[in-house]
PDB file of all heavy atoms in Angstrom:
ATOM      1  N   PHE D 179       2.606  -7.123  -6.001  1.00 97.00           N
ATOM      2  CA  PHE D 179       3.422  -6.303  -5.103  1.00 97.00           C
ATOM      3  C   PHE D 179       3.463  -4.897  -5.674  1.00 97.00           C
ATOM      4  O   PHE D 179       3.782  -4.694  -6.849  1.00 97.00           O
ATOM      5  CB  PHE D 179       4.847  -6.835  -4.958  1.00 97.00           C
ATOM      6  CG  PHE D 179       5.733  -5.884  -4.183  1.00 97.00           C
ATOM      7  CD1 PHE D 179       5.664  -5.859  -2.799  1.00 97.00           C
ATOM      8  CD2 PHE D 179       6.581  -5.004  -4.830  1.00 97.00           C
ATOM      9  CE1 PHE D 179       6.443  -4.959  -2.071  1.00 97.00           C
ATOM     10  CE2 PHE D 179       7.367  -4.105  -4.120  1.00 97.00           C
ATOM     11  CZ  PHE D 179       7.301  -4.096  -2.732  1.00 97.00           C
ATOM     12  N   ARG D 180       3.100  -3.920  -4.867  1.00 97.00           N
ATOM     13  CA  ARG D 180       3.136  -2.516  -5.295  1.00 97.00           C
ATOM     14  C   ARG D 180       3.807  -1.672  -4.206  1.00 97.00           C
ATOM     15  O   ARG D 180       3.827  -2.049  -3.027  1.00 97.00           O
ATOM     16  CB  ARG D 180       1.731  -1.970  -5.546  1.00 97.00           C
ATOM     17  CG  ARG D 180       0.909  -2.749  -6.564  1.00 97.00           C
ATOM     18  CD  ARG D 180       1.371  -2.530  -7.983  1.00 97.00           C
ATOM     19  NE  ARG D 180       0.669  -3.399  -8.912  1.00 97.00           N
ATOM     20  CZ  ARG D 180      -0.485  -3.095  -9.496  1.00 97.00           C
ATOM     21  NH1 ARG D 180      -1.059  -1.926  -9.247  1.00 97.00           N
ATOM     22  NH2 ARG D 180      -1.061  -3.934 -10.332  1.00 97.00           N
ATOM     23  N   GLN D 181       4.285  -0.526  -4.630  1.00 97.00           N
ATOM     24  CA  GLN D 181       4.770   0.468  -3.683  1.00 97.00           C
ATOM     25  C   GLN D 181       4.150   1.814  -4.050  1.00 97.00           C
ATOM     26  O   GLN D 181       4.086   2.172  -5.223  1.00 97.00           O
ATOM     27  CB  GLN D 181       6.293   0.575  -3.712  1.00 97.00           C
ATOM     28  CG  GLN D 181       6.854   1.494  -2.627  1.00 97.00           C
ATOM     29  CD  GLN D 181       8.375   1.486  -2.587  1.00 97.00           C
ATOM     30  OE1 GLN D 181       9.021   2.220  -3.327  1.00 97.00           O
ATOM     31  NE2 GLN D 181       8.938   0.656  -1.723  1.00 97.00           N
ATOM     32  N   THR D 182       3.697   2.529  -3.029  1.00 97.00           N
ATOM     33  CA  THR D 182       3.118   3.858  -3.216  1.00 97.00           C
ATOM     34  C   THR D 182       4.032   4.915  -2.611  1.00 97.00           C
ATOM     35  O   THR D 182       4.527   4.748  -1.488  1.00 97.00           O
ATOM     36  CB  THR D 182       1.728   3.949  -2.560  1.00 97.00           C
ATOM     37  OG1 THR D 182       0.811   3.117  -3.277  1.00 97.00           O
ATOM     38  CG2 THR D 182       1.194   5.378  -2.586  1.00 97.00           C
ATOM     39  N   LEU D 183       4.249   5.992  -3.366  1.00 96.00           N
ATOM     40  CA  LEU D 183       4.986   7.158  -2.881  1.00 96.00           C
ATOM     41  C   LEU D 183       4.071   8.373  -2.926  1.00 96.00           C
ATOM     42  O   LEU D 183       3.394   8.599  -3.933  1.00 96.00           O
ATOM     43  CB  LEU D 183       6.218   7.433  -3.742  1.00 96.00           C
ATOM     44  CG  LEU D 183       7.446   6.547  -3.553  1.00 96.00           C
ATOM     45  CD1 LEU D 183       8.526   6.969  -4.548  1.00 96.00           C
ATOM     46  CD2 LEU D 183       7.985   6.626  -2.144  1.00 96.00           C
ATOM     47  N   ALA D 184       4.052   9.161  -1.855  1.00 95.00           N
ATOM     48  CA  ALA D 184       3.227  10.367  -1.802  1.00 95.00           C
ATOM     49  C   ALA D 184       3.801  11.307  -0.744  1.00 95.00           C
ATOM     50  O   ALA D 184       4.514  10.864   0.166  1.00 95.00           O
ATOM     51  CB  ALA D 184       1.778  10.022  -1.463  1.00 95.00           C
ATOM     52  N   PRO D 185       3.519  12.605  -0.832  1.00 94.00           N
ATOM     53  CA  PRO D 185       3.913  13.508   0.253  1.00 94.00           C
ATOM     54  C   PRO D 185       3.259  13.076   1.562  1.00 94.00           C
ATOM     55  O   PRO D 185       2.133  12.568   1.567  1.00 94.00           O
ATOM     56  CB  PRO D 185       3.380  14.865  -0.214  1.00 94.00           C
ATOM     57  CG  PRO D 185       3.273  14.751  -1.695  1.00 94.00           C
ATOM     58  CD  PRO D 185       2.880  13.323  -1.954  1.00 94.00           C
ATOM     59  N   ASN D 186       3.946  13.267   2.649  1.00 91.00           N
ATOM     60  CA  ASN D 186       3.407  12.881   3.954  1.00 91.00           C
ATOM     61  C   ASN D 186       2.112  13.628   4.270  1.00 91.00           C
ATOM     62  O   ASN D 186       1.952  14.792   3.891  1.00 91.00           O
ATOM     63  CB  ASN D 186       4.427  13.164   5.057  1.00 91.00           C
ATOM     64  CG  ASN D 186       5.358  12.002   5.300  1.00 91.00           C
ATOM     65  OD1 ASN D 186       4.968  10.839   5.186  1.00 91.00           O
ATOM     66  ND2 ASN D 186       6.610  12.291   5.634  1.00 91.00           N
ATOM     67  N   PRO D 187       1.185  12.960   4.973  1.00 89.00           N
ATOM     68  CA  PRO D 187      -0.068  13.621   5.352  1.00 89.00           C
ATOM     69  C   PRO D 187       0.086  14.442   6.625  1.00 89.00           C
ATOM     70  O   PRO D 187       1.006  14.213   7.421  1.00 89.00           O
ATOM     71  CB  PRO D 187      -1.002  12.437   5.608  1.00 89.00           C
ATOM     72  CG  PRO D 187      -0.083  11.380   6.152  1.00 89.00           C
ATOM     73  CD  PRO D 187       1.206  11.544   5.383  1.00 89.00           C
ATOM     74  N   ARG D 188      -0.811  15.388   6.817  1.00 85.00           N
ATOM     75  CA  ARG D 188      -0.874  16.131   8.071  1.00 85.00           C
ATOM     76  C   ARG D 188      -2.037  15.552   8.874  1.00 85.00           C
ATOM     77  O   ARG D 188      -3.189  15.897   8.678  1.00 85.00           O
ATOM     78  CB  ARG D 188      -1.065  17.625   7.820  1.00 85.00           C
ATOM     79  CG  ARG D 188      -1.059  18.474   9.091  1.00 85.00           C
ATOM     80  CD  ARG D 188      -0.959  19.964   8.795  1.00 85.00           C
ATOM     81  NE  ARG D 188       0.391  20.352   8.380  1.00 85.00           N
ATOM     82  CZ  ARG D 188       0.746  20.638   7.146  1.00 85.00           C
ATOM     83  NH1 ARG D 188      -0.149  20.580   6.160  1.00 85.00           N
ATOM     84  NH2 ARG D 188       1.986  20.989   6.850  1.00 85.00           N
ATOM     85  N   LEU D 189      -1.721  14.609   9.765  1.00 84.00           N
ATOM     86  CA  LEU D 189      -2.743  13.894  10.527  1.00 84.00           C
ATOM     87  C   LEU D 189      -3.160  14.622  11.798  1.00 84.00           C
ATOM     88  O   LEU D 189      -4.227  14.360  12.343  1.00 84.00           O
ATOM     89  CB  LEU D 189      -2.241  12.490  10.886  1.00 84.00           C
ATOM     90  CG  LEU D 189      -1.888  11.582   9.702  1.00 84.00           C
ATOM     91  CD1 LEU D 189      -1.288  10.268  10.202  1.00 84.00           C
ATOM     92  CD2 LEU D 189      -3.116  11.316   8.846  1.00 84.00           C
ATOM     93  N   PHE D 190      -2.301  15.522  12.280  1.00 82.00           N
ATOM     94  CA  PHE D 190      -2.578  16.254  13.519  1.00 82.00           C
ATOM     95  C   PHE D 190      -2.427  17.750  13.271  1.00 82.00           C
ATOM     96  O   PHE D 190      -1.594  18.169  12.461  1.00 82.00           O
ATOM     97  CB  PHE D 190      -1.617  15.830  14.637  1.00 82.00           C
ATOM     98  CG  PHE D 190      -1.622  14.359  14.932  1.00 82.00           C
ATOM     99  CD1 PHE D 190      -0.682  13.512  14.347  1.00 82.00           C
ATOM    100  CD2 PHE D 190      -2.568  13.816  15.781  1.00 82.00           C
ATOM    101  CE1 PHE D 190      -0.683  12.158  14.623  1.00 82.00           C
ATOM    102  CE2 PHE D 190      -2.579  12.455  16.058  1.00 82.00           C
ATOM    103  CZ  PHE D 190      -1.631  11.621  15.479  1.00 82.00           C
ATOM    104  N   GLN D 191      -3.235  18.526  13.961  1.00 80.00           N
ATOM    105  CA  GLN D 191      -3.138  19.972  13.840  1.00 80.00           C
ATOM    106  C   GLN D 191      -1.764  20.446  14.323  1.00 80.00           C
ATOM    107  O   GLN D 191      -1.302  20.056  15.390  1.00 80.00           O
ATOM    108  CB  GLN D 191      -4.244  20.649  14.652  1.00 80.00           C
ATOM    109  CG  GLN D 191      -4.309  22.157  14.472  1.00 80.00           C
ATOM    110  CD  GLN D 191      -5.505  22.751  15.197  1.00 80.00           C
ATOM    111  OE1 GLN D 191      -6.283  22.054  15.825  1.00 80.00           O
ATOM    112  NE2 GLN D 191      -5.645  24.062  15.102  1.00 80.00           N
ATOM    113  N   GLY D 192      -1.117  21.273  13.511  1.00 79.00           N
ATOM    114  CA  GLY D 192       0.192  21.775  13.877  1.00 79.00           C
ATOM    115  C   GLY D 192       1.338  20.855  13.506  1.00 79.00           C
ATOM    116  O   GLY D 192       2.505  21.177  13.781  1.00 79.00           O
ATOM    117  N   GLN D 193       1.054  19.724  12.854  1.00 82.00           N
ATOM    118  CA  GLN D 193       2.106  18.781  12.490  1.00 82.00           C
ATOM    119  C   GLN D 193       2.931  19.301  11.318  1.00 82.00           C
ATOM    120  O   GLN D 193       2.397  19.820  10.344  1.00 82.00           O
ATOM    121  CB  GLN D 193       1.478  17.436  12.118  1.00 82.00           C
ATOM    122  CG  GLN D 193       2.476  16.391  11.618  1.00 82.00           C
ATOM    123  CD  GLN D 193       1.795  15.157  11.073  1.00 82.00           C
ATOM    124  OE1 GLN D 193       0.616  14.914  11.328  1.00 82.00           O
ATOM    125  NE2 GLN D 193       2.522  14.358  10.296  1.00 82.00           N
ATOM    126  N   ASP D 194       4.259  19.146  11.417  1.00 83.00           N
ATOM    127  CA  ASP D 194       5.140  19.388  10.276  1.00 83.00           C
ATOM    128  C   ASP D 194       5.164  18.109   9.453  1.00 83.00           C
ATOM    129  O   ASP D 194       5.689  17.089   9.885  1.00 83.00           O
ATOM    130  CB  ASP D 194       6.544  19.736  10.778  1.00 83.00           C
ATOM    131  CG  ASP D 194       7.566  19.776   9.641  1.00 83.00           C
ATOM    132  OD1 ASP D 194       7.152  19.893   8.469  1.00 83.00           O
ATOM    133  OD2 ASP D 194       8.772  19.674   9.937  1.00 83.00           O
ATOM    134  N   ALA D 195       4.581  18.162   8.247  1.00 81.00           N
ATOM    135  CA  ALA D 195       4.411  16.949   7.436  1.00 81.00           C
ATOM    136  C   ALA D 195       5.392  16.895   6.268  1.00 81.00           C
ATOM    137  O   ALA D 195       5.054  16.396   5.193  1.00 81.00           O
ATOM    138  CB  ALA D 195       2.979  16.868   6.918  1.00 81.00           C
ATOM    139  N   SER D 196       6.590  17.398   6.446  1.00 83.00           N
ATOM    140  CA  SER D 196       7.576  17.342   5.370  1.00 83.00           C
ATOM    141  C   SER D 196       8.033  15.898   5.163  1.00 83.00           C
ATOM    142  O   SER D 196       7.929  15.054   6.053  1.00 83.00           O
ATOM    143  CB  SER D 196       8.774  18.230   5.712  1.00 83.00           C
ATOM    144  OG  SER D 196       9.342  17.827   6.945  1.00 83.00           O
ATOM    145  N   GLY D 197       8.544  15.614   3.974  1.00 86.00           N
ATOM    146  CA  GLY D 197       9.037  14.274   3.669  1.00 86.00           C
ATOM    147  C   GLY D 197       8.039  13.459   2.864  1.00 86.00           C
ATOM    148  O   GLY D 197       6.959  13.931   2.501  1.00 86.00           O
ATOM    149  N   LEU D 198       8.401  12.194   2.594  1.00 90.00           N
ATOM    150  CA  LEU D 198       7.603  11.317   1.745  1.00 90.00           C
ATOM    151  C   LEU D 198       7.043  10.129   2.519  1.00 90.00           C
ATOM    152  O   LEU D 198       7.716   9.527   3.363  1.00 90.00           O
ATOM    153  CB  LEU D 198       8.444  10.780   0.581  1.00 90.00           C
ATOM    154  CG  LEU D 198       8.747  11.725  -0.575  1.00 90.00           C
ATOM    155  CD1 LEU D 198       9.651  11.021  -1.586  1.00 90.00           C
ATOM    156  CD2 LEU D 198       7.460  12.173  -1.253  1.00 90.00           C
ATOM    157  N   PHE D 199       5.796   9.799   2.207  1.00 92.00           N
ATOM    158  CA  PHE D 199       5.156   8.571   2.663  1.00 92.00           C
ATOM    159  C   PHE D 199       5.491   7.468   1.658  1.00 92.00           C
ATOM    160  O   PHE D 199       5.353   7.654   0.460  1.00 92.00           O
ATOM    161  CB  PHE D 199       3.641   8.800   2.739  1.00 92.00           C
ATOM    162  CG  PHE D 199       2.827   7.544   2.876  1.00 92.00           C
ATOM    163  CD1 PHE D 199       2.631   6.951   4.120  1.00 92.00           C
ATOM    164  CD2 PHE D 199       2.233   6.962   1.760  1.00 92.00           C
ATOM    165  CE1 PHE D 199       1.867   5.805   4.243  1.00 92.00           C
ATOM    166  CE2 PHE D 199       1.458   5.829   1.876  1.00 92.00           C
ATOM    167  CZ  PHE D 199       1.274   5.245   3.116  1.00 92.00           C
ATOM    168  N   ARG D 200       5.939   6.315   2.143  1.00 94.00           N
ATOM    169  CA  ARG D 200       6.229   5.177   1.275  1.00 94.00           C
ATOM    170  C   ARG D 200       5.612   3.923   1.893  1.00 94.00           C
ATOM    171  O   ARG D 200       5.886   3.603   3.046  1.00 94.00           O
ATOM    172  CB  ARG D 200       7.730   4.998   1.075  1.00 94.00           C
ATOM    173  CG  ARG D 200       8.052   3.869   0.093  1.00 94.00           C
ATOM    174  CD  ARG D 200       9.495   3.912  -0.390  1.00 94.00           C
ATOM    175  NE  ARG D 200      10.440   3.470   0.629  1.00 94.00           N
ATOM    176  CZ  ARG D 200      11.400   4.223   1.131  1.00 94.00           C
ATOM    177  NH1 ARG D 200      11.536   5.489   0.735  1.00 94.00           N
ATOM    178  NH2 ARG D 200      12.221   3.760   2.043  1.00 94.00           N
ATOM    179  N   GLN D 201       4.780   3.249   1.112  1.00 95.00           N
ATOM    180  CA  GLN D 201       4.071   2.074   1.620  1.00 95.00           C
ATOM    181  C   GLN D 201       4.277   0.893   0.679  1.00 95.00           C
ATOM    182  O   GLN D 201       4.027   0.980  -0.525  1.00 95.00           O
ATOM    183  CB  GLN D 201       2.573   2.368   1.745  1.00 95.00           C
ATOM    184  CG  GLN D 201       1.764   1.231   2.362  1.00 95.00           C
ATOM    185  CD  GLN D 201       0.267   1.491   2.288  1.00 95.00           C
ATOM    186  OE1 GLN D 201      -0.291   1.667   1.209  1.00 95.00           O
ATOM    187  NE2 GLN D 201      -0.388   1.523   3.448  1.00 95.00           N
TER     188      GLN D 201
END
Side-chain angles (χ1 to χ4, degrees):
F179 172 80
R180 303 287 174 88
Q181 186 175 85
T182 292
L183 283 178
N186 271 326
R188 183 168 285 105
L189 300 175
F190 304 95
Q191 186 175 0
Q193 176 188 343
D194 171 19
S196 57
L198 284 177
F199 166 83
R200 184 165 74 241
Q201 184 188 59

